[in-house]
Amino acid sequence: MKKLRLAYVRFTSCCGCQLTLLNCEEQLAAIDAVAEVVAFDMASSRPDDGGPLDAVLVEGSISRPEELVELLRLRRRAEILVAVGACALTGGVNVLAHGDRIELCEGVYGECAREKLTFPPQPLCRFVRVDLQVAGCPPERSEHLQLLGALARGGLPALPEYAVCMECRQRENLCLLLEAKQPCLGPVTRAGCNALCPSFGAICEGCRGPVTEANRAEESRLLLGLGLSEREVRARLERFSGASHEDP
């Protein structure tokens, strides 16, 4: 079988998505057998040959002109472009910073920040066609493996279209929202993590982004009923949705 020509690149993000794949240590040999890694800075020092790609996985949001140029170049090269992780899908937590952008950048990078041109972080879909979205902050290891397995066979994986709440019920967990009276976002969050956090007694923070047709109005009503302020509710619901809770 012809090997999949694959690139995994990162823009504005923490490398967490790429690291998740590298943590699949037992499966790395099998991945190498089906995929030719053309570009993956975190895993290989091999120079990118600049040729066509069967697929490119992209982590991170776009916040610099040079990132946008590179994204457009990758889109032209790749038959399939996959947005991986919350930052690539919605901008993620990168969009939560608000205020003077120059002041924010200088707070992190010092005076050299003025030498860099940046703009508010944007999801990939604002600039290019995205063929598949793999949610999570970061996505699960199993989702990476499912994705690469499907790509190697010329297809795309079927990803869940329902809420974390359903996975929680399938595992027969205590409902942290209704029974434990905690501000859990499972009912409005995209599934695929097998309700990992609620299964350990931790509320869902919504890191996989909103599920299609999420009933945010009912979730807001329930959270307000737990004593959260409207601002707190809005901040929770928008943390991984790509909107700043300080937006008007």
Side-chain angles (χ1 to χ4, degrees), residues 41-61:
D41 289 344
M42 200 171 184
S44 171
S45 58
R46 169 185 168 175
D48 185 349
D49 61 19
L53 299 166
D54 294 311
V56 58
L57 281 57
V58 182
E59 170 190 346
S61 55

Side-chain angles (χ1 to χ4, degrees), residues 211-225:
V211 68
T212 303
E213 298 183 351
N215 191 341
R216 289 167 56 92
E218 179 62 11
E219 179 73 18
S220 296
R221 188 187 69 79
L222 291 171
L223 295 182
L224 289 170

Side-chain angles (χ1 to χ4, degrees), residues 60-158:
S61 55
I62 303 300
S63 67
R64 294 183 293 143
E66 52 266 44
E67 289 182 338
L68 177 55
V69 170
E70 178 62 12
L71 176 65
L72 295 173
R73 188 175 72 87
L74 288 167
R75 179 64 277 188
R76 289 193 294 270
R77 292 175 60 191
E79 184 176 341
I80 295 174
L81 187 147
V82 182
V84 181
C87 296
L89 269 61
T90 67
V93 297
N94 295 328
V95 304
L96 295 180
H98 50 85
D100 184 88
R101 184 154 189 82
I102 294 178
E103 183 177 329
L104 288 170
C105 291
E106 286 183 345
V108 177
Y109 301 106
E111 294 183 357
C112 65
R114 289 184 176 273
E115 301 172 3
K116 301 291 185 182
L117 181 59
T118 69
F119 50 83
Q122 304 289 318
L124 306 188
C125 64
R126 294 274 173 85
F127 305 108
V128 297
R129 187 187 82 246
V130 173
D131 299 300
L132 183 71
Q133 296 184 342
V134 180
C137 185
E140 298 298 310
R141 297 183 189 182
S142 58
E143 293 177 296
H144 272 101
L145 298 176
Q146 185 182 5
L147 169 64
L148 294 178
L151 288 172
R153 288 164 176 75
L156 293 174

Side-chain angles (χ1 to χ4, degrees), residues 205-242:
E205 297 284 0
C207 77
R208 299 182 59 80
V211 68
T212 303
E213 298 183 351
N215 191 341
R216 289 167 56 92
E218 179 62 11
E219 179 73 18
S220 296
R221 188 187 69 79
L222 291 171
L223 295 182
L224 289 170
L226 297 179
L228 273 67
S229 68
E230 290 188 7
R231 186 178 184 279
E232 289 172 321
V233 170
R234 185 179 176 189
R236 282 187 171 277
L237 289 174
E238 294 184 347
R239 184 180 304 162
F240 292 97
S241 71

Side-chain angles (χ1 to χ4, degrees), residues 174-193:
L174 173 76
C175 179
L176 297 177
L177 177 61
L178 299 179
E179 298 174 88
K181 305 300 182 185
Q182 297 180 35
C184 183
L185 298 185
V188 293
T189 301
R190 187 187 307 194
C193 59

